[in-house]
Amino acid sequence: MAKVSVYNMEGKEVDTIELDDAIFGVEVNEHLIHMAVVQNLAAKRQGTQKAKTRSEVRGGGRKPWRQKGTGHARQGSIRAPQWTGGGVVFAPTPRDYSFKMNKKEKRAALKSALTSKVNEEKIVIVDDLKLDEIKTKNFVNVMNNLKVDKALVVLADNDKNVVASAKNVPTVKTASTETINVYDILKYNTLVLTKDAVKNIQEVYA
């Protein structure tokens, strides 16, 4: 088991914690990590693009000129794709880009992402993260004490003061242990976890 230092909100080391190898010490599967990231991004796509095919463009019902004898190439409609103002050959239509990963794949991808952060020493464990009031300045001070800037902060419970205080910090995102995903873990340089969050993750994903 990997031993990681535990810090308080002042940035001082107060304890150490052993991380479960079943979650934070697995063999990193890059293929599943890639799949999880693509799935996350695909689900965010609107898929509302639309262009008209030749059957949907208004007009063009009449043959523009007779078949033979004009010297022109034969044409059936002024809304055919080769005409200006005509339809698009393989026009995009609204679609859903999302696809499914099974539960085992999702779990394995998440464990791989968490392990990669431990391997890169980009994980910070905080003894507790509580704020008495909603104040961005106080939250920024805590992040500075921990010497992290672009970070995903994972909380065991949805502490309103912490979440609201972090909202105006563009380089930080907060998440609960139930909503963490591979994309966010990899997007942010540092993963900040409270001790309770570590405990929850180890219980849920063991």
Side-chain angles (χ1 to χ4, degrees):
M1 290 189 175
K3 269 194 174 183
V4 180
S5 298
V6 177
Y7 299 91
N8 60 17
M9 290 169 59
E10 285 74 46
K12 294 174 183 176
E13 186 177 336
V14 291
D15 197 3
T16 58
I17 188 172
E18 286 192 347
L19 300 177
D20 188 352
D21 284 344
I23 310 293
F24 296 94
V26 300
E27 186 179 344
V28 177
N29 190 322
E30 291 184 3
H31 171 65
L32 289 180
I33 288 177
H34 177 261
M35 271 183 67
V37 170
V38 172
Q39 185 203 30
N40 187 288
L41 295 174
K44 290 179 180 178
R45 293 183 69 173
Q46 284 186 311
T48 54
Q49 72 276 39
K50 177 74 176 80
K52 292 182 179 180
T53 62
R54 61 183 294 170
S55 66
E56 295 168 318
V57 180
R58 183 179 174 84
R62 181 173 65 86
K63 191 172 172 69
W65 52 74
R66 60 196 176 94
Q67 182 84 344
K68 293 177 178 290
T70 62
H72 296 298
R74 55 194 173 187
Q75 300 290 335
S77 169
I78 61 168
R79 293 295 179 249
Q82 70 271 22
W83 285 72
T84 301
V88 179
V89 181
F90 298 114
T93 54
R95 56 168 287 196
D96 181 10
Y97 286 93
S98 65
F99 62 91
K100 287 186 177 179
M101 285 177 68
N102 66 45
K103 285 182 181 178
K104 281 187 178 179
E105 287 176 331
K106 282 183 178 178
R107 251 167 210 260
L110 187 66
K111 289 176 182 180
S112 292
L114 291 170
T115 300
S116 69
K117 286 296 180 187
V118 175
N119 293 344
E120 294 166 9
E121 296 181 354
K122 294 289 186 179
I123 189 167
V124 175
I125 312 295
V126 186
D127 187 28
D128 196 14
L129 190 53
K130 299 283 183 186
L131 295 177
D132 296 328
E133 57 180 333
I134 298 172
K135 202 165 183 67
T136 302
K137 186 178 180 181
N138 293 347
F139 180 82
V140 170
N141 287 338
V142 173
M143 292 296 104
N144 290 338
N145 292 339
L146 297 171
K147 296 178 182 176
V148 296
D149 48 6
K150 191 177 180 185
L152 175 66
V153 180
V154 182
L155 307 167
D157 54 348
N158 198 15
D159 189 294
K160 290 181 180 179
N161 286 357
V162 176
V163 173
S165 299
K167 221 168 191 178
N168 287 333
V169 184
T171 57
V172 172
K173 181 177 180 179
T174 57
S176 65
T177 51
E178 293 84 22
T179 61
I180 55 172
N181 60 73
V182 174
Y183 177 74
D184 284 339
I185 291 170
L186 298 181
K187 180 182 177 182
Y188 293 89
N189 294 340
T190 309
L191 180 63
V192 179
L193 297 158
T194 62
K195 276 181 77 174
D196 288 340
V198 173
K199 185 180 177 183
N200 284 4
I201 289 171
Q202 292 182 158
E203 286 176 356
V204 172
Y205 297 102

